[in-house]
């Protein structure tokens, strides 16, 4: 599991980082990827995005996600598996723009992964959802993930999960909740910065 200070650190040496004009790092879309899948859903972008970011509802439509636990504002713990096989791992959201984009990285050392989801409005008034994933295995597992067969299996799984989400959100017709915050480099951005505080407990600043 992640340590307490994980979310306070930036993402070191992350490829494709850029500055957004406010000094905060933003990620470019993944140039190197093992999987890219897109599905169109018949709900507006805001509805699709709001429901997707309700991570705890993933077990309601996913065939592999068994549970999602919120650890901190930017860190969640996911339990996935089939049958009696279970695997639990932590994920950090490193960038999040409402109705547009979400990028994450796995906090495990090996194997690890990173990915992103983009939301785009379609001419019909629906939403195109694109998922990209990059697996970062260690040792002999690198050869396995580079094989075309492994890539096809992963793509098939991602495609299936996207189709499950499509049926789920179109069946609901509206989102079951929303979090409209923005995240930069693993940190939640606040519209109004907190005022400075005295280093002495309960003493006013001035």
């Amino acid at each position: 599991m992640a340590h307490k200070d994980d979310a306070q650190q930036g993402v070191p040496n992350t490829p494709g980082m850029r500055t957004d004009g406010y000094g905060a790092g933003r990620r470019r879309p993944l140039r190197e990827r093992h999987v890219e899948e897109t599905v169109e859903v018949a709900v507006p972008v805001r509805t699709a995005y709001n429901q997707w970011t309700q991570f705890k509802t993933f077990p309601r439509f996913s065939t592999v996600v068994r549970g999602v636990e919120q650890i901190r504002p930017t860190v969640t713990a996911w339990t996935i598996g089939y049958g009696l096989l279970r695997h639990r791992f932590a994920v950090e959201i490193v960038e999040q723009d409402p109705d547009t984009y979400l990028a994450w990285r796995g906090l495990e050392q090996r194997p690890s992964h990173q990915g992103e989801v983009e939301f785009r409005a379609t001419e019909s008034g629906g939403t195109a959802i694109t998922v990209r994933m990059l697996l970062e295995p260690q040792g002999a597992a690198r050869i396995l993930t580079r094989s075309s067969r492994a890539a096809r299996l992963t793509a098939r799984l991602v495609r299936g999960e996207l189709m499950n989400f499509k049926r789920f959100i179109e069946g609901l017709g509206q989102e079951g909740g929303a979090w409209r915050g923005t995240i930069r480099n693993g940190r939640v951005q606040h519209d109004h910065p907190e005022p400075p505080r005295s280093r002495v407990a309960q003493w006013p600043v001035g």
Side-chain angles (χ1 to χ4, degrees), residues 114-167:
Q114 55 181 308
E116 62 189 11
V117 187
E118 288 186 331
F119 301 83
R120 302 183 308 278
T122 63
E123 293 182 357
S124 63
T127 306
I129 304 174
T130 298
V131 174
R132 301 183 187 92
M133 289 181 60
L134 173 63
L135 304 179
E136 299 176 311
Q138 303 293 320
R142 287 180 179 271
I143 300 175
L144 178 62
T145 56
R146 286 175 181 171
S147 72
S148 59
R149 182 182 179 185
R152 288 196 301 269
L153 289 175
T154 305
R156 187 182 304 169
L157 176 62
V158 172
R159 179 70 179 177
E161 293 295 86
L162 281 172
M163 294 303 296
N164 290 339
F165 177 77
K166 171 182 172 69
R167 287 188 286 269

Side-chain angles (χ1 to χ4, degrees), residues 5-203:
D5 58 354
D6 282 339
Q8 300 302 319
Q9 300 175 354
V11 182
N13 303 320
T14 302
M17 294 295 289
R18 69 182 185 270
T19 301
D20 64 0
Y22 296 92
R26 295 190 63 190
R27 285 183 44 173
R28 297 182 186 278
L30 287 174
R31 294 181 178 179
E32 182 183 2
R33 55 186 178 271
H34 287 102
V35 172
E36 178 174 337
E37 293 290 333
T38 299
V39 68
E40 292 189 12
V41 299
V43 296
V45 167
R46 186 181 181 96
T47 300
Y49 171 86
N50 285 347
Q51 186 60 55
W52 184 279
T53 54
Q54 296 297 296
F55 302 128
K56 290 186 177 181
T57 67
F58 267 62
R60 294 177 59 186
F61 64 84
S62 172
T63 57
V64 295
V65 179
R66 302 307 178 202
V68 182
E69 179 184 357
Q70 190 81 42
I71 305 300
R72 293 190 297 281
T74 62
V75 177
T76 50
W78 294 65
T79 301
I80 63 173
Y82 288 103
L84 298 177
L85 298 178
R86 294 287 188 273
H87 177 57
R88 191 171 187 264
F89 58 94
V91 167
E92 178 186 33
I93 303 300
V94 294
E95 182 176 351
Q96 187 165 337
D97 290 309
D99 301 334
T100 305
Y101 184 75
L102 183 150
W104 76 87
R105 64 164 184 163
L107 294 179
E108 292 183 314
Q109 294 300 312
R110 52 179 174 267
S112 188
H113 71 284
Q114 55 181 308
E116 62 189 11
V117 187
E118 288 186 331
F119 301 83
R120 302 183 308 278
T122 63
E123 293 182 357
S124 63
T127 306
I129 304 174
T130 298
V131 174
R132 301 183 187 92
M133 289 181 60
L134 173 63
L135 304 179
E136 299 176 311
Q138 303 293 320
R142 287 180 179 271
I143 300 175
L144 178 62
T145 56
R146 286 175 181 171
S147 72
S148 59
R149 182 182 179 185
R152 288 196 301 269
L153 289 175
T154 305
R156 187 182 304 169
L157 176 62
V158 172
R159 179 70 179 177
E161 293 295 86
L162 281 172
M163 294 303 296
N164 290 339
F165 177 77
K166 171 182 172 69
R167 287 188 286 269
F168 180 69
I169 187 59
E170 289 181 351
L172 291 177
Q174 61 183 13
E175 63 269 41
W179 184 77
R180 307 289 299 175
T182 299
I183 295 173
R184 291 284 182 270
N185 204 25
R187 298 179 181 178
V188 177
Q189 303 298 295
H190 299 284
D191 293 335
H192 304 288
E194 294 184 4
R197 297 180 180 180
S198 169
R199 295 181 179 178
V200 180
Q202 298 182 356
W203 280 24

